[in-house]
Amino acid sequence: MRTVEHGGDRYLLVKQSGESSLVYDPETGEERYLPNEELTVTGDSPLELAAEAVPEASRRILTAVHSEQALGLLVELDERGPMSVREVLGAYDLCESDLHGLFGELRAAGLVTEADVAGERGYRLTDLAREGLAELR
């Protein structure tokens, strides 16, 4: 399958004939025929385009979170609000290096940000993470 563009929109090419092609819009699920001369092959990954059917916030969580511990940490921050590093270490079965690794990955993905929690260093969810969790729930 290839990715094509028509008028600024990207589609998955399903079938091509002499004068027109059947294209699929992964965001809407619609299929339609478009003239071949109006299509441009983009070279974009068709699987990445297909993934765009999932809302951006949910996609970010799905691609950034590689363990149930990381997902659980996001859920806990969503439920409990910002937490200090000391509080997280005391409440959950994580060593300090594992916790800092998790927070580093989640920060790089734009899902958590540093926060001052009662005068201590801590973390809180970003709006993107909160939106993504709401979509997944």
Side-chain angles (χ1 to χ4, degrees):
M1 199 171 277
R2 295 183 304 179
T3 304
V4 294
E5 187 174 297
H6 178 265
D9 294 322
R10 294 185 312 159
Y11 301 95
L12 295 173
L13 181 64
V14 177
K15 181 172 48 173
Q16 191 170 18
S17 64
E19 295 189 19
S20 65
S21 294
L22 179 62
V23 297
Y24 172 75
D25 185 341
E27 289 186 34
T28 65
E30 290 181 39
E31 285 187 345
R32 65 183 183 152
Y33 283 93
L34 295 172
N36 287 338
E37 67 269 3
E38 295 179 14
L39 297 177
T40 304
V41 176
T42 66
D44 295 338
S45 166
L47 294 177
E48 288 177 9
L49 179 60
E52 290 180 12
V54 176
E56 166 62 24
S58 294
R59 273 197 331 268
R60 183 78 59 93
I61 289 174
L62 292 171
T63 57
V65 174
H66 301 290
S67 70
E68 289 186 3
Q69 280 187 324
L71 181 58
L73 185 56
L74 290 177
V75 170
E76 285 295 289
L77 287 171
D78 190 35
E79 296 291 323
R80 297 175 65 171
M83 295 174 70
S84 71
V85 171
R86 183 189 323 252
E87 184 180 6
V88 175
L89 285 170
Y92 307 108
D93 187 26
L94 292 168
C95 70
E96 191 171 346
S97 64
D98 287 346
L99 180 64
H100 287 296
L102 277 175
F103 275 132
E105 290 176 13
L106 296 173
R107 281 183 62 206
L111 298 173
V112 300
T113 188
E114 287 190 20
D116 182 275
V117 180
E120 294 184 12
R121 184 170 157 234
Y123 292 90
R124 67 172 179 79
L125 286 184
T126 62
D127 291 340
L128 181 70
R130 197 175 284 19
E131 180 183 334
L133 287 172
E135 290 167 354
L136 290 171
R137 286 181 171 159

